[in-house]
Protein backbone atom coordinates (compact mmCIF):
# COMPACT_ATOMS: atom_id res chain seq x y z
CA UNK A 1 0.00 0.00 0.00
CA UNK A 2 2.82 2.41 0.84
CA UNK A 3 4.24 2.13 -2.68
CA UNK A 4 0.97 3.57 -3.97
CA UNK A 5 1.41 6.86 -2.04
CA UNK A 6 1.65 9.69 -4.56
CA UNK A 7 3.32 13.07 -4.57
CA UNK A 8 -0.09 14.66 -5.08
CA UNK A 9 -1.33 13.08 -1.85
CA UNK A 10 1.67 14.39 0.06
CA UNK A 11 1.24 17.91 -1.36
CA UNK A 12 -2.43 17.82 -0.32
CA UNK A 13 -1.43 16.65 3.18
CA UNK A 14 1.10 19.48 3.58
CA UNK A 15 -1.34 22.07 2.25
CA UNK A 16 -4.06 20.96 4.67
CA UNK A 17 -1.66 21.01 7.62
CA UNK A 18 -0.30 24.47 6.76
CA UNK A 19 -3.61 26.10 5.83
CA UNK A 20 -5.53 24.81 8.85
CA UNK A 21 -8.58 23.56 6.96
CA UNK A 22 -9.45 21.36 4.02
CA UNK A 23 -11.29 24.20 2.25
CA UNK A 24 -8.29 26.54 2.56
CA UNK A 25 -6.01 23.75 1.34
CA UNK A 26 -8.30 23.28 -1.65
CA UNK A 27 -8.00 26.96 -2.54
CA UNK A 28 -4.23 26.82 -2.28
CA UNK A 29 -3.83 23.77 -4.53
CA UNK A 30 -6.88 24.60 -6.65
CA UNK A 31 -8.92 21.53 -5.76
CA UNK A 32 -12.48 21.18 -4.45
CA UNK A 33 -12.80 20.57 -0.71
CA UNK A 34 -14.39 17.19 -1.41
CA UNK A 35 -11.35 16.18 -3.47
CA UNK A 36 -9.01 17.23 -0.65
CA UNK A 37 -11.02 15.23 1.89
CA UNK A 38 -11.11 12.15 -0.35
CA UNK A 39 -7.38 12.39 -1.11
CA UNK A 40 -6.47 12.63 2.59
CA UNK A 41 -8.78 9.77 3.51
CA UNK A 42 -7.07 7.56 0.93
CA UNK A 43 -3.64 8.63 2.16
CA UNK A 44 -4.55 7.73 5.76
CA UNK A 45 -5.80 4.36 4.58
CA UNK A 46 -2.56 3.67 2.69
CA UNK A 47 -0.33 4.83 5.56
CA UNK A 48 -2.38 3.03 8.19
CA UNK A 49 -2.50 6.07 10.50
CA UNK A 50 -4.91 8.92 11.18
CA UNK A 51 -3.33 12.20 10.12
CA UNK A 52 -6.09 14.59 11.19
CA UNK A 53 -8.50 14.72 14.12
CA UNK A 54 -11.79 15.77 12.53
CA UNK A 55 -13.86 15.97 15.73
CA UNK A 56 -13.75 19.80 15.96
CA UNK A 57 -14.72 22.50 13.51
CA UNK A 58 -11.25 22.61 11.99
CA UNK A 59 -9.11 19.50 11.47
CA UNK A 60 -6.15 19.20 13.81
CA UNK A 61 -2.99 17.21 13.16
CA UNK A 62 -2.75 14.08 15.26
CA UNK A 63 0.62 13.26 16.86
CA UNK A 64 1.21 10.80 14.02
CA UNK A 65 0.27 13.45 11.46
CA UNK A 66 2.63 16.01 13.02
CA UNK A 67 5.43 13.44 12.99
CA UNK A 68 4.88 12.52 9.34
CA UNK A 69 4.49 16.14 8.17
CA UNK A 70 8.25 16.74 8.30
CA UNK A 71 8.88 13.58 6.29
CA UNK A 72 6.26 14.55 3.72
CA UNK A 73 7.88 17.97 3.24
CA UNK A 74 11.30 16.33 2.84
CA UNK A 75 9.97 13.97 0.16
CA UNK A 76 8.35 16.86 -1.73
CA UNK A 77 11.52 18.97 -1.55
CA UNK A 78 13.66 16.06 -2.75
CA UNK A 79 11.35 15.40 -5.68
CA UNK A 80 11.25 19.10 -6.59
CA UNK A 81 15.03 19.21 -6.48
CA UNK A 82 15.28 16.11 -8.70
CA UNK A 83 12.93 17.63 -11.28
CA UNK A 84 14.65 21.01 -11.13
CA UNK A 85 18.12 19.51 -11.65
CA UNK A 86 16.86 17.40 -14.52
CA UNK A 87 15.31 20.51 -16.07
CA UNK A 88 18.56 22.45 -15.73
CA UNK A 89 20.54 19.62 -17.32
CA UNK A 90 18.11 19.34 -20.21
CA UNK A 91 17.96 23.06 -20.96
CA UNK A 92 21.71 23.76 -20.69
CA UNK A 93 22.74 27.42 -20.57
CA UNK A 94 20.00 29.84 -19.53
CA UNK A 95 18.61 32.08 -22.31
CA UNK A 96 19.22 35.08 -20.02
CA UNK A 97 20.51 35.96 -16.57
CA UNK A 98 17.52 37.55 -14.80
CA UNK A 99 18.22 38.99 -11.36
CA UNK A 100 16.27 41.05 -8.82
CA UNK A 101 18.53 42.90 -6.37
CA UNK A 102 17.77 44.49 -3.02
CA UNK A 103 18.36 48.23 -3.21
CA UNK A 104 20.64 47.97 -0.15
CA UNK A 105 23.14 45.65 -1.87
CA UNK A 106 26.56 47.16 -2.71
CA UNK A 107 26.62 48.09 -6.39
CA UNK A 108 30.39 47.52 -6.67
CA UNK A 109 29.97 43.86 -5.69
CA UNK A 110 27.09 43.45 -8.12
CA UNK A 111 29.01 45.14 -10.94
CA UNK A 112 32.00 42.85 -10.42
CA UNK A 113 29.85 39.70 -10.60
CA UNK A 114 27.99 40.96 -13.68
CA UNK A 115 31.32 41.83 -15.35
CA UNK A 116 32.58 38.29 -14.80
CA UNK A 117 29.44 36.80 -16.36
CA UNK A 118 29.64 39.22 -19.29
CA UNK A 119 33.14 38.01 -19.99
CA UNK A 120 32.48 34.27 -19.61
CA UNK A 121 28.87 34.11 -20.86
CA UNK A 122 28.91 36.81 -23.52
CA UNK A 123 25.85 35.45 -25.33
CA UNK A 124 23.69 35.41 -22.17
CA UNK A 125 21.90 38.77 -21.83
CA UNK A 126 21.23 40.35 -18.43
CA UNK A 127 17.85 41.48 -17.08
CA UNK A 128 18.18 43.34 -13.78
CA UNK A 129 15.58 44.76 -11.38
CA UNK A 130 16.43 46.81 -8.28
CA UNK A 131 13.75 46.50 -5.60
CA UNK A 132 13.18 47.05 -1.88
CA UNK A 133 11.81 44.78 0.86
CA UNK A 134 9.34 42.28 -0.66
CA UNK A 135 9.91 43.48 -4.22
CA UNK A 136 12.86 41.13 -4.80
CA UNK A 137 11.07 38.08 -3.41
CA UNK A 138 7.97 38.87 -5.46
CA UNK A 139 9.97 39.00 -8.72
CA UNK A 140 11.42 35.55 -8.01
CA UNK A 141 8.15 34.04 -6.80
CA UNK A 142 6.22 35.09 -9.91
CA UNK A 143 8.99 33.91 -12.25
CA UNK A 144 9.98 37.34 -13.56
CA UNK A 145 13.53 36.74 -12.28
CA UNK A 146 15.35 33.49 -11.72
CA UNK A 147 17.63 34.85 -8.98
CA UNK A 148 17.06 37.31 -6.17
CA UNK A 149 19.45 39.06 -3.81
CA UNK A 150 17.45 39.85 -0.68
CA UNK A 151 18.33 41.71 2.47
CA UNK A 152 15.68 44.05 3.80
CA UNK A 153 12.96 41.36 3.93
CA UNK A 154 14.10 38.85 6.59
CA UNK A 155 11.44 36.19 5.98
CA UNK A 156 11.59 33.89 2.95
CA UNK A 157 8.67 31.82 1.56
CA UNK A 158 9.08 28.04 1.73
CA UNK A 159 8.99 27.80 -2.07
CA UNK A 160 12.44 29.39 -2.30
CA UNK A 161 15.92 28.01 -1.73
CA UNK A 162 18.20 30.31 0.30
CA UNK A 163 21.98 30.65 0.14
CA UNK A 164 23.80 33.10 2.47
CA UNK A 165 25.88 35.92 1.00
CA UNK A 166 27.33 38.69 3.17
CA UNK A 167 26.52 41.32 5.78
CA UNK A 168 25.87 44.99 5.04
CA UNK A 169 26.76 47.50 7.74
CA UNK A 170 24.34 50.34 8.44
CA UNK A 171 24.83 53.86 9.74
CA UNK A 172 22.25 56.13 11.38
CA UNK A 173 22.58 59.56 9.80
CA UNK A 174 21.12 63.07 9.69
CA UNK A 175 21.89 66.35 8.00
CA UNK A 176 24.41 68.54 9.90
CA UNK A 177 21.61 71.13 10.15
CA UNK A 178 19.31 68.68 11.98
CA UNK A 179 18.78 69.05 15.74
CA UNK A 180 20.12 65.53 16.40
CA UNK A 181 23.44 66.46 14.78
CA UNK A 182 24.21 68.95 17.53
CA UNK A 183 24.91 66.09 19.96
CA UNK A 184 25.48 62.99 17.82
CA UNK A 185 26.70 60.64 20.57
CA UNK A 186 24.70 58.40 22.96
CA UNK A 187 21.32 59.45 21.60
CA UNK A 188 18.48 57.83 23.55
CA UNK A 189 15.44 56.10 22.12
CA UNK A 190 13.30 58.78 23.76
CA UNK A 191 15.18 61.52 21.92
CA UNK A 192 14.87 59.69 18.60
CA UNK A 193 11.12 59.30 19.05
CA UNK A 194 10.72 63.09 19.06
CA UNK A 195 12.00 63.40 15.49
CA UNK A 196 10.76 62.22 12.10
CA UNK A 197 12.32 58.95 10.95
CA UNK A 198 12.63 58.38 7.22
CA UNK A 199 11.95 54.72 6.41
CA UNK A 200 11.77 52.57 3.31
CA UNK A 201 8.32 51.16 2.58
CA UNK A 202 7.29 48.08 0.63
CA UNK A 203 5.45 48.14 -2.70
CA UNK A 204 4.31 44.55 -2.13
CA UNK A 205 2.20 42.90 0.58
CA UNK A 206 4.96 40.48 1.63
CA UNK A 207 5.94 42.58 4.67
CA UNK A 208 2.41 43.70 5.49
CA UNK A 209 1.91 44.22 9.23
CA UNK A 210 5.63 44.18 10.00
CA UNK A 211 8.16 46.97 10.48
CA UNK A 212 11.94 46.76 10.34
CA UNK A 213 14.18 49.22 12.22
CA UNK A 214 11.36 51.68 13.00
CA UNK A 215 12.19 53.52 16.24
CA UNK A 216 9.98 56.62 16.08
CA UNK A 217 6.20 57.10 15.94
CA UNK A 218 6.84 59.99 13.57
CA UNK A 219 7.62 58.48 10.16
CA UNK A 220 7.83 59.44 6.53
CA UNK A 221 7.53 56.36 4.33
CA UNK A 222 9.40 56.37 1.04
CA UNK A 223 9.35 53.64 -1.61
CA UNK A 224 12.66 54.80 -3.12
CA UNK A 225 16.04 54.62 -1.38
CA UNK A 226 17.39 57.46 -3.53
CA UNK A 227 14.60 59.72 -2.30
CA UNK A 228 15.33 58.72 1.29
CA UNK A 229 19.00 59.55 0.77
CA UNK A 230 18.15 62.98 -0.68
CA UNK A 231 15.63 63.73 2.08
CA UNK A 232 18.19 62.86 4.75
CA UNK A 233 20.67 65.31 3.26
CA UNK A 234 17.91 67.92 3.06
CA UNK A 235 17.33 67.62 6.82
CA UNK A 236 13.77 66.25 6.65
CA UNK A 237 14.50 63.57 9.27
CA UNK A 238 16.90 60.90 10.48
CA UNK A 239 17.29 57.33 9.24
CA UNK A 240 19.34 54.19 8.78
CA UNK A 241 21.32 53.84 5.53
CA UNK A 242 23.77 51.27 4.17
CA UNK A 243 27.16 52.56 5.29
CA UNK A 244 28.72 52.10 1.86
CA UNK A 245 26.15 54.52 0.41
CA UNK A 246 26.79 57.37 2.87
CA UNK A 247 30.51 57.11 3.73
CA UNK A 248 31.45 59.83 1.24
CA UNK A 249 28.61 62.09 2.45
CA UNK A 250 29.85 61.70 6.03
CA UNK A 251 33.44 62.41 4.97
CA UNK A 252 32.32 65.49 3.01
CA UNK A 253 30.21 66.81 5.88
CA UNK A 254 26.91 66.38 4.04
CA UNK A 255 25.65 63.88 6.63
CA UNK A 256 26.47 63.23 10.29
CA UNK A 257 26.72 59.71 11.72
CA UNK A 258 24.79 59.23 14.97
CA UNK A 259 25.69 56.88 17.83
CA UNK A 260 22.59 55.40 19.45
CA UNK A 261 22.51 54.48 23.13
CA UNK A 262 22.07 50.78 23.92
CA UNK A 263 21.99 49.82 20.25
CA UNK A 264 23.46 46.29 19.83
CA UNK A 265 26.18 46.15 17.19
CA UNK A 266 24.42 43.22 15.49
CA UNK A 267 21.33 45.37 14.92
CA UNK A 268 23.35 47.59 12.58
CA UNK A 269 24.08 44.78 10.13
CA UNK A 270 21.86 43.30 7.44
CA UNK A 271 22.41 39.74 6.24
CA UNK A 272 22.00 39.34 2.49
CA UNK A 273 21.00 36.10 0.78
CA UNK A 274 20.58 34.62 -2.69
CA UNK A 275 17.14 33.09 -3.32
CA UNK A 276 15.67 31.12 -6.19
CA UNK A 277 12.64 28.91 -6.72
CA UNK A 278 13.15 25.30 -5.74
CA UNK A 279 11.64 24.24 -9.06
CA UNK A 280 13.89 26.59 -11.08
CA UNK A 281 17.47 26.54 -9.77
CA UNK A 282 20.20 28.59 -11.48
CA UNK A 283 21.88 27.27 -14.60
CA UNK A 284 25.59 27.64 -15.47
CA UNK A 285 25.52 31.44 -15.81
CA UNK A 286 23.47 31.89 -12.65
CA UNK A 287 25.72 29.53 -10.70
CA UNK A 288 28.80 31.47 -11.85
CA UNK A 289 27.12 34.74 -10.88
CA UNK A 290 26.38 33.43 -7.37
CA UNK A 291 29.95 32.17 -7.02
CA UNK A 292 31.30 35.62 -7.89
CA UNK A 293 29.01 37.31 -5.36
CA UNK A 294 30.23 34.97 -2.65
CA UNK A 295 33.88 35.50 -3.51
Amino acid sequence: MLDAVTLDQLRTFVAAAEQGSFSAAGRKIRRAQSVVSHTLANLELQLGVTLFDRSSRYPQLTPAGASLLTDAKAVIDSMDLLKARAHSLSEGLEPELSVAVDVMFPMDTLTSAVGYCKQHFEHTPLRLYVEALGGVTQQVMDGTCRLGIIGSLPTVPDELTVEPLSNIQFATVVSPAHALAQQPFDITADELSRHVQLILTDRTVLSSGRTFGVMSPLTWRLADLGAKHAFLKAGFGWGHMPKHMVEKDIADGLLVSLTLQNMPAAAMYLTTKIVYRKDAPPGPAGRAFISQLKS
Side-chain angles (χ1 to χ4, degrees):
M1 291 288 285
L2 291 179
D3 287 341
V5 172
T6 67
L7 196 60
D8 178 69
Q9 289 175 318
L10 296 181
R11 291 190 192 277
T12 304
F13 170 40
V14 171
E18 292 181 341
Q19 298 301 310
S21 74
F22 293 171
S23 58
R27 288 191 294 272
K28 180 177 176 62
I29 62 176
R30 299 179 181 180
R31 302 282 178 84
Q33 180 178 343
S34 59
V35 174
V36 171
S37 298
H38 181 70
T39 300
L40 292 175
N42 282 340
L43 178 61
E44 289 174 324
L45 182 63
Q46 289 169 296
L47 294 176
V49 297
T50 301
L51 300 174
F52 291 95
D53 179 356
R54 298 166 173 81
S55 61
S56 57
R57 180 179 180 184
Y58 295 105
Q60 301 292 323
L61 279 173
T62 62
S67 177
L68 290 173
L69 180 61
T70 301
D71 295 326
K73 289 181 177 180
V75 171
I76 292 169
D77 285 346
S78 295
M79 183 58 69
D80 286 343
L81 181 60
L82 172 67
K83 292 191 293 185
R85 284 179 174 170
H87 179 68
S88 292
L89 290 171
S90 67
E91 73 170 3
L93 187 63
E94 315 85 311
E96 68 175 9
L97 181 60
S98 54
V99 185
V101 184
D102 192 288
V103 68
M104 305 288 186
F105 195 75
M107 195 55 62
D108 287 349
T109 303
L110 178 66
T111 302
S112 177
V114 169
Y116 176 89
C117 290
K118 184 178 185 298
Q119 180 181 355
H120 291 83
F121 301 92
E122 59 180 334
H123 299 299
T124 303
L126 171 71
R127 182 152 52 96
L128 180 71
Y129 295 83
V130 178
E131 300 283 352
L133 295 165
V136 174
T137 304
Q138 188 64 58
Q139 297 279 10
V140 178
M141 290 286 291
D142 65 21
T144 301
C145 290
R146 193 157 183 174
L147 298 177
I149 303 174
I150 65 170
S152 49
L153 184 70
T155 55
V156 180
D158 290 339
E159 293 89 339
L160 302 183
T161 295
V162 182
E163 295 186 25
L165 278 181
S166 58
N167 290 328
I168 297 173
Q169 186 175 3
F170 272 69
T172 306
V173 293
V174 293
S175 161
H178 194 280
L180 288 173
Q182 309 315 308
Q183 189 178 350
F185 301 104
D186 295 323
I187 298 175
T188 65
D190 184 61
E191 180 64 23
L192 285 175
S193 70
R194 290 196 282 269
H195 299 274
V196 171
Q197 181 180 359
L198 304 181
I199 62 175
L200 203 61
T201 190
D202 201 346
R203 293 188 180 97
T204 76
V205 298
L206 293 179
S207 63
S208 178
R210 291 171 288 170
T211 57
F212 312 110
V214 178
M215 304 173 68
S216 172
L218 308 173
T219 59
W220 284 16
R221 298 177 179 272
L222 310 169
D224 180 76
L225 189 62
K228 179 180 177 180
H229 191 185
F231 282 16
L232 285 166
K233 289 194 288 186
F236 295 157
W238 66 272
H240 308 302
M241 287 289 289
K243 190 174 181 180
H244 64 268
M245 295 186 67
V246 295
E247 280 182 316
K248 188 175 187 305
D249 292 326
I250 294 172
D252 293 344
L254 299 176
L255 287 172
V256 173
S257 180
L258 305 179
T259 301
L260 309 184
Q261 194 177 98
N262 300 322
M263 175 63 75
M268 296 306 291
Y269 284 87
L270 180 72
T271 299
T272 62
K273 311 174 188 72
I274 277 281
V275 296
Y276 47 85
R277 290 176 60 101
K278 290 178 179 177
D279 60 356
R287 203 68 258 174
F289 176 73
I290 293 173
S291 178
Q292 289 301 301
L293 290 177
K294 291 182 175 181
S295 66

